[in-house]
Amino acid sequence: MSTIQHSTPNIHLAMQHFSKLVQLPDVLRRANIHKTRGIQVPVLFEWLITTIFTRYSIFRAESDPHFTKKTARNCLNNRHTNWQRLVILLAVRLIQYVKHFTDTRRAQALILDDSLFKREFSRKTELLARVFDHNHQRYYHGFRTLTLGWSDGNTFLPVDFALMSSGKAKNQLGPINQFDPRTLAAQRRAQAKRKMNEVALELVDSALSAGIKTKYVLFDSWFASPRLFFELLQRGQFGVGMLKRSEKVYFRYRGRQMDVKSLYERLRRSKWPQHQNYHYSPIVTFEVGGQPMKVKLVFVPNRTDHSQYLVLGTTKTTLEPDQIIQLYGRRWQIEGYFKVAKQYLRFDQTQVQSYDGLCGHMAMVMMSYDILALHQREQVDERTLGDLFYNFGRPLPDIEIAVALAWLMCQLTGLGEKLGLTTTIIDELFDQFIRTLPNNLAQLLGNGV
């Protein structure tokens, strides 16, 4: 039987609300996304996002009678589209909206991290490369998805991204198409082959120039280096990151040159009192390009092994150690984003082979996540983003048969009264209708009424 709609999240209504909130037509125009004729771009976007929520590829997704799937693929593969600007503009407008729900005293931060984008069985994907996965300590075929996000401690929103390939010829596997160096397509491909720390700063610059105002940038030990702390400080941002316990990075503490391990041993032998949440919190001085830079370190005990420790650092030396620990803990939100994107939003599950198309697919994934995050924040919903994803993706439920039949009989009764039928005639019609039903449905109807 036909389904009767309940008050469940509907992707079409959610997309309409999202489009109105972020002024999507204006955002598309500024990202150079337009069509001179045929179907409108927002309709294509809604169909692409619907395929993500229904967990289908473009090839297996249900066709739309108003356009072909080739039209959607051409939209993704358009080399003139600035997908990164699209993601940034959406983030800016969502942040402006979310700020109405955020306490002004709460620190806002940018979060920087990368995740593996696998394409193990691909051979013809543009800019495909051998990339190293630090979690498994091995090489995979694919890309590194460098992602910059924004957080107010409650909501995480993706702000910008870069699909990183490899600048080394021996690691490059896929074809590389050549374009005029002045074009967006060429600049996007050149960025994919630069060093990741350089591109990370480019993403931060893009976010700041777009009007996103934060004080902190959070990152893990892979990005943590004195140079990155220094560059962020030049941009008015305080870095908060985990430092590697390396003997190759030196700083000065009380006039002596040390590394993280030697400093910890010295503090431990000095019998300084250890605190409940951290061991020690000294201020050291790094030298970057001949200029001194003070960094506050916090030695945090490992919860599973108290003989081990983690080292957090920040250039905001006035922060208390507990504040540094709490602020760095917010970095975990970007890991939650990667989990949701990979498990539900088809993060690296696409058949697109063009590099421009892959960037377009990533923008669609981030746009889908924006819709989920917005719905969760507006509804003050205790459900996880995974639960919300299933509510957007699943078909509307059927109501119970007994309730549906009772509703139908009520409607017929009202119709009979409007037509001037007597109560006796209506009762006879219902009796005949019930006699034609199977016994189990007749019993259900009797219980339902």
Side-chain angles (χ1 to χ4, degrees):
M1 61 177 291
S2 300
T3 58
I4 298 178
Q5 294 191 7
H6 287 211
S7 57
T8 57
N10 181 282
I11 184 59
H12 177 67
L13 297 179
M15 187 67 187
Q16 282 186 331
H17 172 60
F18 179 82
S19 176
K20 183 178 180 180
L21 182 65
V22 301
Q23 299 176 344
L24 188 60
D26 179 61
V27 170
L28 296 177
R29 178 183 58 80
R30 295 177 61 183
N32 199 31
I33 306 175
H34 58 84
K35 283 173 67 31
T36 56
R37 60 181 180 177
I39 198 71
Q40 295 182 351
V41 177
V43 177
L44 290 176
F45 275 30
E46 182 176 335
W47 184 83
L48 289 168
I49 291 175
T50 302
T51 62
I52 291 177
F53 281 122
T54 53
R55 310 184 82 173
Y56 285 122
S57 64
I58 295 179
F59 177 75
R60 293 185 177 275
E62 183 179 354
S63 300
D64 191 289
H66 301 95
F67 59 89
T68 64
K69 295 180 180 180
K70 184 178 180 181
T71 304
R73 283 194 292 267
N74 291 341
C75 180
L76 290 178
N77 292 330
N78 190 344
R79 66 177 184 270
H80 302 293
T81 298
N82 196 332
W83 295 110
Q84 292 171 304
R85 182 180 296 174
L86 170 68
V87 175
I88 291 178
L89 293 176
L90 292 176
V92 168
R93 303 199 175 186
L94 287 175
I95 290 170
Q96 292 173 349
Y97 176 71
V98 169
K99 280 184 178 179
H100 298 297
F101 309 106
T102 306
D103 193 323
T104 55
R105 296 170 297 178
R106 177 171 290 185
Q108 300 175 22
L110 295 173
I111 307 176
L112 192 64
D113 203 359
D114 69 301
S115 185
L116 181 65
F117 187 102
K118 284 186 180 180
R119 293 299 292 264
E120 279 294 289
F121 304 104
S122 179
R123 294 294 181 270
K124 297 181 180 180
T125 301
E126 187 180 3
L127 286 180
L128 184 72
R130 293 174 65 249
V131 292
F132 188 73
D133 182 29
H134 300 278
N135 294 329
H136 298 92
Q137 295 295 307
R138 56 160 292 189
Y139 281 93
Y140 288 97
H141 293 182
F143 304 87
R144 300 295 306 180
T145 309
L146 181 61
T147 304
L148 182 71
W150 172 91
S151 169
D152 63 352
N154 187 347
T155 300
F156 174 86
L157 295 172
V159 172
D160 203 354
F161 71 96
L163 273 179
M164 304 301 298
S165 181
S166 176
K168 299 180 180 179
K170 65 178 182 179
N171 290 333
Q172 295 173 356
L173 303 175
I176 303 177
N177 296 331
Q178 301 297 326
F179 296 93
D180 188 322
R182 298 169 296 179
T183 62
L184 174 64
Q187 295 171 8
R188 188 154 47 205
R189 286 159 175 79
Q191 183 187 60
K193 294 184 285 185
R194 286 200 288 271
K195 293 183 179 180
M196 195 174 296
N197 276 355
E198 296 178 3
V199 179
L201 290 172
E202 293 174 9
L203 299 188
V204 173
D205 290 337
S206 298
L208 297 178
S209 62
I212 297 178
K213 298 180 181 180
T214 59
K215 293 183 178 179
Y216 304 97
V217 179
L218 316 180
F219 44 85
D220 62 8
S221 59
W222 194 93
F223 295 94
S225 67
R227 171 62 63 179
L228 183 62
F229 278 105
F230 181 79
E231 292 292 341
L232 290 174
L233 203 57
Q234 299 302 306
R235 291 162 170 78
Q237 301 292 306
F238 297 107
V240 180
M242 181 182 294
L243 275 64
K244 298 177 182 178
R245 292 187 297 168
S246 172
E247 298 178 355
K248 299 180 180 179
V249 180
Y250 297 97
F251 48 78
R252 288 196 172 274
Y253 177 70
R254 293 187 176 180
R256 295 186 179 183
Q257 184 170 285
M258 296 184 178
D259 58 61
V260 170
K261 291 184 178 180
S262 60
L263 175 59
Y264 182 80
E265 289 300 322
R266 177 176 178 177
L267 295 175
R268 188 175 61 85
R269 290 195 302 267
S270 66
K271 297 183 180 180
W272 275 25
Q274 295 185 356
H275 301 266
Q276 181 178 1
N277 297 329
Y278 65 95
H279 287 166
Y280 314 107
S281 181
I283 296 179
V284 302
T285 303
F286 287 90
E287 187 171 322
V288 181
Q291 300 186 34
M293 178 184 64
K294 292 187 178 297
V295 176
K296 190 169 189 175
L297 305 183
V298 181
F299 292 89
V300 183
N302 193 320
R303 293 181 180 179
T304 58
D305 186 358
H306 291 282
S307 62
Q308 300 294 322
Y309 58 90
L310 306 175
V311 187
L312 306 182
T314 179
T315 49
K316 181 71 170 177
T317 56
T318 57
L319 287 178
E320 295 295 329
D322 289 333
Q323 292 177 310
I324 298 174
I325 296 172
Q326 183 181 22
L327 192 59
Y328 181 78
R330 196 186 297 183
R331 195 200 68 82
W332 190 253
Q333 287 186 299
I334 198 170
E335 302 291 352
Y337 157 72
F338 286 134
K339 180 179 179 181
V340 171
K342 290 186 176 182
Q343 190 169 351
Y344 303 113
L345 304 181
R346 303 186 65 82
F347 180 84
D348 54 358
Q349 300 175 37
T350 176
Q351 298 171 337
V352 177
Q353 294 184 334
S354 163
Y355 184 75
D356 301 301
L358 291 175
C359 291
H361 169 75
M362 190 55 57
M364 291 297 102
V365 170
M366 292 186 170
M367 195 170 173
S368 302
Y369 185 89
D370 286 339
I371 294 175
L372 291 177
L374 176 64
H375 182 80
Q376 186 186 46
R377 187 63 181 263
E378 285 185 328
Q379 302 298 325
V380 196
D381 208 324
E382 297 297 332
R383 291 173 292 179
T384 65
L385 290 176
D387 294 332
L388 295 177
F389 164 80
Y390 280 120
N391 281 334
F392 276 120
R394 66 162 62 100
L396 295 176
D398 292 338
I399 64 175
E400 295 181 358
I401 295 178
V403 178
L405 291 175
W407 174 84
L408 176 62
M409 294 181 70
C410 290
Q411 298 300 316
L412 292 176
T413 301
L415 181 61
E417 292 176 350
K418 288 182 178 180
L419 295 176
L421 298 178
T422 62
T423 306
T424 305
I425 297 176
I426 294 176
D427 290 340
E428 291 179 358
L429 290 175
F430 281 153
D431 290 338
Q432 294 179 4
F433 173 70
I434 292 175
R435 282 195 294 269
T436 60
L437 294 176
N439 292 333
N440 57 342
L441 292 183
Q443 293 174 1
L444 284 174
L445 183 59
N447 295 333
V449 178

